[in-house]
Structures are given as structure tokens and as C-alpha cells.
Amino acid sequence: MRRNVQFQAPPEREAAGRGAPERETAGRAEPLRTEFTFELPRGYVDEAGTVHRSGVMRLATARDELVPLRDDRVRDNSAYLTVVLISRVVTRIGTVDDIHPGVIEDLFASDLAFLQDFYRRINAEGHTRAAVTCPSCQEEFAVNLAGGRLGES
């Protein structure tokens, strides 16, 4: 049984005398994000041959990490844990919203590796940004690993 929980950000306070909502400040925490969008490097190809690249992954719960350990496929092959776990937290890939281990099995290896790293980032670090250094100019900047159009960060 899966439970869907909707978290709402606290209502924004009006800025004194301006009538506009206050902006996030360094002292205030950001609202809890429970879903993160992503763009697969290659994409999931469904039975009709349609390629689906954009998707949504939600934060994992303790149950998401415990339930797969009781799965016979995981008991027989511990590497299958990743497939079951990712299938529990990915809620949509393109127009496909029935995500199950069979869908994850059919992903290209590079897409599965991307989702594993994405899972680690949002559940351990709480964001999808990574610090990188330009190999040409040595400039340091952050990129969003969730994906997007080429050349965007």
C-alpha cells in the first residue's frame, strides 16, 4: 500500500508595506521539496517505440529502502536491489506513470546509472546541483544534474 502525502510550504508573509511576498533569506530554510524532475540521457523506449526522457522522482522513505530487501529477486541477486528501489521512487517517465521493475529493467545502462546518482543526490544531499570546473578556463560553477536543454545549467 502506497500513501501519497502532499507537503505544503508555509504561507508566505507579506513584506512590510510593499504588499509582495518576502523572498527566501539566508536565515530561513527552503520549503521541503519531495519531488524532483529529471531528464534521462538516452530515454526509456516503450513498446510503441516512443522515447520518454523527462520524469519525476520523489524522495525515498524508510519503507522504500526496506521493502525491496524482502523481494525474492533481490534475495537471489543483490544487484537487483537498485532496480526495485528506483522503481519505487520514480513516479513518471514521460507519459508512463506505471513505473515498475520491468520498466526500470528496460532502461539503457547509462539511464539507470543516471537515476542511481540522482537518487543519491536528492536523498543524501537534498539537491540536484554539482560543482564542476571548466577544463579550458578552470572557472568553477554549478550545474543542475536534473537535465534540461543542452547548454543550460
Side-chain angles (χ1 to χ4, degrees):
M1 179 177 120
R2 284 192 177 173
R3 289 180 275 166
N4 290 324
V5 179
Q6 194 77 2
F7 291 97
Q8 288 188 314
E12 294 180 326
R13 293 178 293 185
E14 295 292 313
R18 288 182 292 201
E22 286 184 15
R23 300 263 187 243
E24 292 288 332
T25 62
R28 285 180 37 198
E30 293 181 19
L32 177 64
R33 283 185 63 191
T34 60
E35 291 189 330
F36 297 80
T37 58
F38 60 82
E39 189 88 15
L40 292 173
R42 300 214 188 272
Y44 168 68
V45 182
D46 65 16
E47 293 115 16
T50 305
V51 179
H52 304 272
R53 292 189 65 212
S54 62
V56 177
M57 181 183 289
R58 65 173 175 75
L59 288 177
T61 64
R63 180 182 307 264
D64 291 322
E65 295 200 349
L66 293 171
V67 167
L69 299 175
R70 296 190 306 240
D71 190 303
D72 289 335
R73 296 168 294 188
V74 174
R75 287 181 182 168
D76 292 341
N77 179 0
S78 62
Y80 202 73
L81 174 63
T82 297
V83 172
V84 177
L85 181 57
I86 296 296
S87 72
R88 291 182 61 88
V89 296
V90 171
T91 59
R92 181 181 57 77
I93 300 176
T95 58
V96 180
D97 56 7
D98 179 21
I99 307 299
H100 51 81
V103 171
I104 304 303
E105 286 176 354
D106 288 341
L107 290 174
F108 293 105
S110 59
D111 289 333
L112 180 58
F114 169 84
L115 289 175
Q116 286 175 297
D117 185 57
F118 194 71
Y119 176 92
R120 182 186 57 78
R121 285 190 178 278
I122 68 171
N123 285 287
E125 299 173 16
H127 60 80
T128 59
R129 296 177 307 279
V132 295
T133 304
C134 175
S136 299
C137 67
Q138 303 303 314
E139 181 74 24
E140 293 182 3
F141 57 96
V143 295
N144 186 349
L145 296 179
R149 294 192 304 243
L150 290 175
E152 289 185 346
S153 60

